[in-house]
Amino acid sequence: MWLIATSLNINKAFHIDDIFHLEAAQWMEQHPFTPMSGKILWQNNYVNISEGNLPPLYLSLIALVGHLFGYQEIPLHLFQSGFTFLAIYSFYRIAKITTPDSALLVTSFFVLNPAFLINQNLMVDLPLVSLILCFVYLLLKPNIQSEWTRYLGAAFVFSLAIFIKYSALPFLIILIVHPLLLRKSKYVVTAAIPILSLTAWSAWNVHEFGALHLNRPIYSFTFLRSFLQTTALLLALGAIMPFTIIYGEAFLNKYRRAFLFLIYSGVGLFITTILFTYLDLLGENNARRILWVLFFTNGFSFLYFIWDSCSFTNFLLKNPYKANPAQVILYLWVISGSTFIILFAPAIATRHILLVLAPLILLATPLLTYSTTKFKIAALVFSGSLSLFLGISDWLMADIYRTQANELKSKISPKAITWTVGYWGWQWYSKKAGMQPYIKGKSIVKAKEYFVIPVKLTAKADVNLTNLIQVDEVTIPSNFITFFSGSNIPGMYSSDYANPPWKLAKKPIETFRIYQVKKAFR
């Protein structure tokens, strides 16, 4: 599984937020004692690194690898694959503790899903998830040298997770509750390690740039926003869990086997929607509506399966000291993680859901005792195939900006200055190809110079087209793989209550336009 995940990411073009991480890492390589004070180009303007929501650990590791091996795809993605391995190994070890008979199967579901495969890139979320999984495994590991080793090790790993991304903070409750459940309250003191680490980091922030980096923007609480975020979360869950069919089959085998036709009907509707849309027998907007219903139903049903398989009501009524500690930890993991996402995430993204996907799968796994072997195989093939389609589609989308940067620059005289706008991978690769980033109101553009503009990554306000004459256009058509589209926004990297994380789209993937400047402007 590690080889499959790594092979999909090893030479993938830098994509989406990777560019912020690369630019910040290059600053940190040169300024290790003022890591948050630099300014980097992000979305057509220069911003302070401290305005981002990332602490410095992961970015510093990128800087180290970049310093030793260069800021290239293969060495940096090999570095990322270490976190991929840690995530897979830790999840499997937890599954061997909580659901030993199904450990390999549920690990396959965790890895061979779109959220895991696509969101490797050079992003912080998979490293964060890998450390949270390792942290939980240390708490649950049955044989360990001593309890101090357990809790000190868990506290250290959790501290690392916080310095990867602050989204780890809600899980501090697990480090506190676990020793209390086992009546080992003296080990609660180990929670001071991440707290003191964060305090020291905050003191350094004040010294470096006069403010707390942890003081992030907080969205005002409203019931409407919480409802819409919850809807978006369920929608995204359903979109990345095609393997839910096995849990549905098990649930119906347990209660109403005669209703198994519902599973076949749902899968049939899904496949029919794909075929009809590709053959232009169904409009893309109508296909999106059908997928919305299927994804939301899938996500909601999966949560109900967990409610049933774990007897959640009985669990709540139990004396907490008599409850299964592993089950308590899994519930705390889901509740704290999903609450944080709903209340504080600016948008729902499948990489955020990785934080709670692992415990959700493990909590539902007791139902698998009612499933059949043929459905287990079918669920694995179905989930793996769809995930690979979406993963390869995202790889191709990212690669367009890598390949087109050099090809488009070669169409222009090498002596001519070429400007560009746009962000994500295009920002990185256009710069490597020799183009200059245009900053509205600051860059001095002269007549006879050129612009290369990626249409999907450029807003009308980014550059005044009345000063330009279009001289060429290159359109990148879609194919059957990119028909499974998750790269656009809304998409796998950001979605909302109205738009699923992926859709079916035959429209061109991107259009690039080359312009010549008519008259000078800023």
Side-chain angles (χ1 to χ4, degrees):
M1 283 183 278
W2 173 79
L3 284 174
I4 293 173
T6 298
S7 63
L8 194 61
N9 197 54
I10 187 69
N11 195 34
K12 184 178 180 180
F14 296 131
H15 197 31
I16 311 293
D17 290 353
D18 293 1
I19 313 310
F20 185 96
H21 306 158
L22 288 164
E23 298 261 2
Q26 288 181 324
W27 165 268
M28 292 180 186
E29 180 186 2
Q30 301 299 322
H31 307 87
F33 299 110
T34 53
M36 313 303 288
S37 298
K39 281 183 174 289
I40 61 173
L41 182 63
W42 183 240
Q43 296 189 341
N44 300 316
N45 208 345
Y46 285 96
V47 299
N48 293 318
I49 295 175
S50 59
E51 293 178 24
N53 61 356
L54 297 180
L57 179 56
Y58 182 73
L59 305 178
S60 299
L61 292 174
I62 292 176
L64 176 62
V65 176
H67 177 76
L68 295 174
F69 304 104
Y71 291 88
Q72 305 296 327
E73 294 88 346
I74 291 178
L76 285 168
H77 286 152
L78 280 174
F79 151 74
Q80 182 80 330
S81 73
F83 291 107
T84 301
F85 179 84
L86 179 62
I88 296 170
Y89 176 80
S90 298
F91 181 91
Y92 177 74
R93 298 312 305 177
I94 295 171
K96 287 292 287 184
I97 294 169
T98 59
T99 55
D101 294 338
S102 303
L104 186 59
L105 179 64
V106 296
T107 303
S108 300
F109 290 155
F110 177 64
V111 177
L112 300 179
N113 79 79
F116 190 98
L117 294 180
I118 288 176
N119 288 299
Q120 294 178 93
N121 295 320
L122 201 62
M123 293 190 183
V124 299
D125 300 275
L126 187 59
L128 171 64
V129 169
S130 72
L131 290 174
I132 295 297
L133 284 164
C134 182
F135 157 68
V136 172
Y137 172 58
L138 287 173
L139 291 178
L140 300 181
K141 192 175 187 295
N143 300 313
I144 204 161
Q145 185 178 355
S146 72
E147 291 303 293
W148 279 114
T149 301
R150 178 191 306 281
Y151 288 107
L152 287 172
F156 174 73
V157 172
F158 181 72
S159 299
L160 294 179
I162 291 175
F163 284 97
I164 291 287
K165 195 174 185 181
Y166 296 131
S167 303
L169 281 170
F171 305 114
L172 179 62
I173 191 174
I174 295 175
L175 185 58
I176 296 171
V177 168
H178 187 266
L180 294 177
L181 282 175
L182 299 178
R183 300 180 185 273
K184 299 175 180 179
S185 56
K186 66 180 180 180
Y187 299 110
V188 173
V189 70
T190 58
I193 295 175
I195 294 172
L196 291 174
S197 299
L198 199 56
T199 301
W201 168 240
S202 297
W204 182 267
N205 297 157
V206 174
H207 166 73
E208 182 184 347
F209 57 91
L212 299 180
H213 188 245
L214 185 59
N215 185 23
R216 312 311 305 152
I218 297 177
Y219 296 88
S220 58
F221 173 81
T222 65
F223 287 106
L224 177 60
R225 184 179 188 277
S226 298
F227 173 76
L228 295 179
Q229 286 282 88
T230 302
T231 302
L233 181 63
L234 286 173
L235 188 64
L237 270 174
I240 63 168
M241 296 193 303
F243 55 80
T244 304
I245 59 173
I246 185 64
Y247 294 95
E249 184 249 1
F251 179 81
L252 293 173
N253 282 341
K254 182 179 178 182
Y255 292 110
R256 293 286 187 273
R257 186 172 175 82
F259 286 91
L260 272 176
F261 73 90
L262 293 173
I263 303 294
Y264 294 109
S265 299
V267 174
L269 177 59
F270 177 74
I271 295 173
T272 301
T273 300
I274 292 172
L275 292 176
F276 276 36
T277 307
Y278 191 73
L279 296 173
D280 295 325
L281 300 175
L282 180 68
E284 290 181 7
N285 287 335
N286 288 329
R288 182 177 60 82
R289 295 185 183 100
I290 294 172
L291 290 180
W292 193 102
V293 173
L294 288 173
F295 293 161
F296 184 83
T297 303
N298 194 34
F300 184 85
S301 299
F302 188 73
L303 293 189
Y304 184 79
F305 298 152
I306 293 173
W307 183 286
D308 176 83
S309 65
C310 294
S311 302
F312 186 66
T313 305
N314 293 336
F315 170 79
L316 291 176
L317 297 175
K318 279 183 181 178
N319 182 329
Y321 291 110
K322 295 181 180 179
N324 181 340
Q327 193 178 45
V328 174
I329 294 306
L330 293 177
Y331 273 122
L332 283 175
W333 190 349
V334 171
I335 294 169
S336 57
S338 57
T339 301
F340 183 85
I341 293 169
I342 290 168
L343 294 181
F344 299 111
I348 299 299
T350 56
R351 63 185 185 275
H352 302 153
I353 293 173
L354 279 175
L355 270 178
V356 296
L357 182 62
L360 285 173
I361 292 173
L362 294 170
L363 284 169
T365 299
L367 258 182
L368 294 183
T369 56
Y370 298 94
S371 64
T372 58
T373 301
K374 68 176 183 180
F375 250 87
K376 290 177 181 176
I377 296 172
L380 191 57
V381 171
F382 182 52
S383 181
S385 300
L386 180 60
S387 300
L388 286 174
F389 270 115
L390 287 165
I392 295 171
S393 173
D394 193 67
W395 194 100
L396 293 172
M397 178 70 175
D399 193 56
I400 284 168
Y401 298 108
R402 174 168 56 184
T403 56
Q404 288 300 313
N406 286 316
E407 290 187 20
L408 292 167
K409 186 64 174 74
S410 68
K411 292 175 175 283
I412 301 169
S413 169
K415 295 182 179 180
I417 293 177
T418 304
W419 299 90
T420 189
V421 289
Y423 40 91
W424 296 341
W426 174 254
Q427 175 183 314
W428 180 262
Y429 292 109
S430 62
K431 184 178 179 180
K432 287 186 68 175
M435 301 183 204
Q436 297 185 25
Y438 169 72
I439 310 299
K440 189 173 184 179
K442 297 179 181 178
S443 301
I444 300 174
V445 181
K446 299 177 181 179
K448 304 298 182 181
E449 294 177 346
Y450 289 86
F451 264 85
V452 177
I453 296 179
V455 173
K456 288 190 176 182
L457 300 184
T458 306
K460 290 182 179 180
D462 291 338
V463 61
N464 187 355
L465 297 181
T466 59
N467 295 318
L468 309 176
I469 302 173
Q470 184 174 330
V471 296
D472 200 358
E473 180 174 292
V474 175
T475 298
I476 311 299
S478 66
N479 55 48
F480 184 70
I481 298 294
T482 59
F483 173 61
F484 296 84
S485 175
S487 290
N488 294 322
I489 300 296
M492 291 290 289
Y493 298 103
S494 179
S495 59
D496 55 40
Y497 67 93
N499 297 283
W502 63 271
K503 60 186 177 183
L504 304 171
K506 294 182 70 176
K507 297 175 183 177
I509 302 171
E510 181 61 278
T511 298
F512 298 90
R513 291 174 182 153
I514 301 177
Y515 296 88
Q516 191 171 36
V517 180
K518 289 191 296 183
K519 61 179 181 178
F521 67 95
R522 283 181 179 265

